[in-house]
Amino acid sequence: MDKILEAVMMSSYPNNVKQGLVRRVIEAIKQPMDSEQCWSMLELSTKLYLMGDTKFKREIGKEVLEVYGHYHPEEFEEFFNVRFLLSLLQEGYGPMGKRSPYVLDYIHLGLQFVLESPSASDIFSLLRIEVLRKVCERPGPKQCARISKLLSQHPQCVPTGKHQILFCQQLIRCIGQFQCISEGEDDIMEFLDHVNKVSGLLQKIWRAQTSSILPSLKELFTIISSTEEQEAPSNALASVVQYVPLELMDGVIRNLTNDDSITDVQMMTAISRMIDWVSWPLGKNIDKWIIALLKGLAAVKKFSILIEVTLLKIEKVFSKLLYPIVREGALSVLLYMLLSFQHSHEAFHLLLPHIPRLVASLNKEDSNSATSCLEQLAELIHSMFFRFSGFPDLYEPVMEAVKALPIPNEDRIKHLLGQNAWTSQKNELACFYPRLASKSDTGKIGLINLGNTCYMNSIIQALFMASDFRHSVLNLTESNSQPLMTKLQWLFAFLEHSQRPAISPEGFLSASWPPWFSPGAQQDCSEYLKYLLDRLHEEEKTGKRIYQKLKESNLMPQAEERHYLNKTLIEKMFGGKMMTKIRCLKCLNVSSREEAFTDLSLAFPPSNRHVRRQSHAAVLPVEEIGPQIIEPPIKPQSQVTESPRRQRKHPVSGEPPIQLLPIETVGFQEAEGQETPFILRSDRDHVSLEKVKDPLLAFGEQTCGSEDSRSVPDLINYFLSPEVLTSENKYHCEKCASLQDAEKVAELTEGPHYLVLTLLRFSFDLRTMKRKKILDNVSIPLVLKLPVLVASEDSGEVCQNRNDRAASCNGFVSVVYDLCSVVVHSGVSSESGHYYCYARECTSTSASSQPRDGAQKSTSDKQLDFEIQWYLFNDTRVSFSSFESVSNVTSFFPKDTAYVLFYRQRPCKQSWAVHEAISDAVRLHGEPSPSKDLMEAISKDNILYLQEQEKEARNRAAYISSLPKSPLWWRDFDRDKDDEGSSGGCGPAAGGGGSGSFHGLVF
């Protein structure tokens, strides 16, 4: 019979013919046969099954074996003996070099027919030993799947006791080496099936014997934490974790994170490889294990590992959101990584270039999964905007991408941010500052945030960019009588000459700290600035004069020189004077008082009060209200009964009314021989001159903008507008010796060199009993004119020059100011939020070209400095910016509003001597050079910084070298972009180590 079957199989007949002949043979062998004939047929069918070169031959061999198992059980049991199986397992079947890969399938097939035989127990004992030996030889996924299939259906063959634990550990090591070479989808699906069978076997063993779980996990961690392997273990290990009971998670994580024998490098390697598992398409609960380990590391304050791993892996995790099959797990891990990484903006900023493309891809996908992902992503992005405000230039493209998505309310944002932060202790992450490899491309240096100290950092940068003040501070001779000024000088010198990308202002913070400020809490930057300037002023005032360089100048009259030298540096740079006049509405007596100021606090007009200019109105519009003289009322009693908060000003009795000078954004100049004025308009960065018929109307249009908008000139006009003191706010008139209704007006009598304007955005809401912020957008002019009252003789001198159109012959001069810095507050409360600063260098570039006769150049000649580079200072980060960004920041980010403004005065007739003296000092000394001691300190710190960089580079190299070399994660985005029509496909080396595993798998 065996000869007939062999002849049929070797014939050249078609398979269907062979199939018919075989059927006849099989029917014949179902009949009783002698033992020798059965043995011959079993040998032939075994040969066909194990060595058949076609699938047809193997199927015929299998069919014959099954017939003999059913119809000739005794002969089959005799043939399928322990010795034969041992030779198959240890020596294989077939000629050397061509051993059959189907031995395990053959044994699996035969086992079902000997389960009740006397030799069954011996066969099981043999298989328990041999399968352990097999897995120790590290078979591939197909062989492991065969072993798993065999043991899953015949659990009697699973090793027991210590051998069982060893078997599980060795099987996990096999999985760690699984590789899928083919890129074909069918092959990858087969690979996934093999992995599922193997991990499914582990699940069954663990269910039957829970004591084997922890040793298996220990082996798994040993594999993924190894730094000695040439290749990273396969991501198929993720399939093992999904079957670990979640109730063991806390204990496992606690043991791992508290094990002193595990080094930081090993732990970092392990968590990095686990994060790579988000690429595994069939895993369950993998994200839970990754997040649990990250939380465990945070609990034991392993922040250096968390920071390194987050910055290394977050982009790869983000890229997996492109693929629906792994999206849910990847999003969970991404949410935790970002919401826990709250000490620095680095992790979030790594994702900014990729967010618009991902949002576009998810919108195009138009699935429930994509919609849910977009909603959660929008919440995350807005939470990050809230947490890391102050980067408007970076955030604008992202805001544009997510503008159509829902915006979470502030309570929801605070809830998200409060869930997963690594630590609630403010100072625990103080040493983990953002990594900055080199100085900013701007050449400027940032300031490290020492725990909600952005209010100080923004003010220091604004003061540093006030170049005249900076030069004066750096040129001072160090003195023990001015310790705070000395610390400021050192801080400025380090900002000027350090090689660090950012420096710590800790010493200056402790010296300039207002005693009522709470450590670690957000503070009001305006309050800090006032305190700082007052301290510096009082320190110099009570001590010896440190620096009197202006005395060398012969440009000033002696009286003016003495007046100037009597001033402190703060008075010279920031000091102005204001005259406050109060006129009793009964007796018309006027009292006046002159006060010094270093900043002007500008309140917002009531919402129902729109400041509009009307060139022919009988009552003077608010926009045109500047310093004015109070005139006697025609009907004083009627004025009193009206009692509005702000009423029309009147000239003081006995003084003639004067021509009024409005607050202006850009001055107009009258060309010689022309009566038609020109107004300078700006459209972003384009500047043009336009003729206008009515200059006052033109300025009204320029300063006021739309009906609902406000501008800085509006607020200044409101500040300078007359106020009626009545009702509970009546004025005590000395002449009347009683409380009377009165009118108060303020006039600027001396413009400061640097004009500091604070927009009073914070108020107390009596209805809610809470402090609130006024979020109104206020347009900020690049150039501002202020009317300043001058002495009559000075006014006459000014008016002799016809070309100086800025002056009024009635005692007022328009002083021109250029915008230098804008400190922005991001948030809704003074006790929270964030401060950052826009600034540019405003120098006396016109000083050398200023005519000695005092004639000021026209506005058009000066070009309004639109070209001067703006910078954005946000703690450690300094970047290039523009006036366009300054102007539009509130439009894009409604909670980011201008708060403190610095303007620099342009040289004019009255202040020319001061400007010239400062310019001469700068020209004489050039850029200020630090003292010898200060220069040595800077040099030593620069050397120390280079040594720190070298040490950090070595440490990072040690960390990075331990991690798997992965394909580039951004290929995910490139593939999505280049192959938009593709609905799936698999990446190369699926199941292998590294970030490329299954990176293209989409179902």
Side-chain angles (χ1 to χ4, degrees), residues 742-792:
E743 194 169 43
K744 182 172 72 173
V745 67
E747 299 171 343
L748 299 178
T749 57
E750 183 179 326
H753 185 66
Y754 283 101
L755 174 66
V756 180
L757 303 176
T758 300
L759 310 187
L760 297 179
R761 291 188 173 275
F762 303 111
S763 61
F764 190 80
D765 190 338
L766 294 175
R767 184 177 57 84
T768 62
M769 300 302 291
K770 293 181 180 179
R771 285 173 63 84
K772 67 176 184 178
K773 179 181 176 183
I774 300 172
L775 295 173
D776 293 5
N777 191 4
V778 176
S779 61
I780 304 171
L782 193 61
V783 180
L784 183 71
K785 280 190 176 184
L786 281 181
V788 177
L789 177 66
V790 297
S792 57

Side-chain angles (χ1 to χ4, degrees), residues 430 433 445-450 453 456-457 460 490-491 494-495 498 500-509 876 941:
Y433 299 128
I445 296 175
L447 290 170
I448 294 172
N449 191 316
L450 303 175
T453 58
M456 178 189 71
N457 291 349
I460 289 176
W490 277 61
L491 183 57
F494 271 83
L495 287 173
S498 178
R500 294 181 182 273
I503 61 175
S504 171
E506 187 172 2
F508 188 77
L509 173 65
T876 55
D941 185 69

Side-chain angles (χ1 to χ4, degrees), residues 200-248:
L201 173 62
L202 285 171
Q203 180 191 24
K204 291 179 179 179
I205 294 175
W206 290 345
R207 281 180 176 175
Q209 194 68 38
T210 56
S211 61
S212 61
I213 297 177
L214 292 181
S216 300
L217 291 181
K218 184 177 181 180
E219 188 70 17
L220 173 63
F221 185 82
T222 301
I223 295 170
I224 64 175
S225 64
S226 174
T227 59
E228 299 174 358
E229 301 291 337
Q230 292 294 327
E231 292 185 5
S234 170
N235 283 347
L237 287 170
S239 64
V240 175
V241 176
Q242 67 180 327
Y243 294 123
V244 180
L246 293 179
E247 54 266 25
L248 298 178

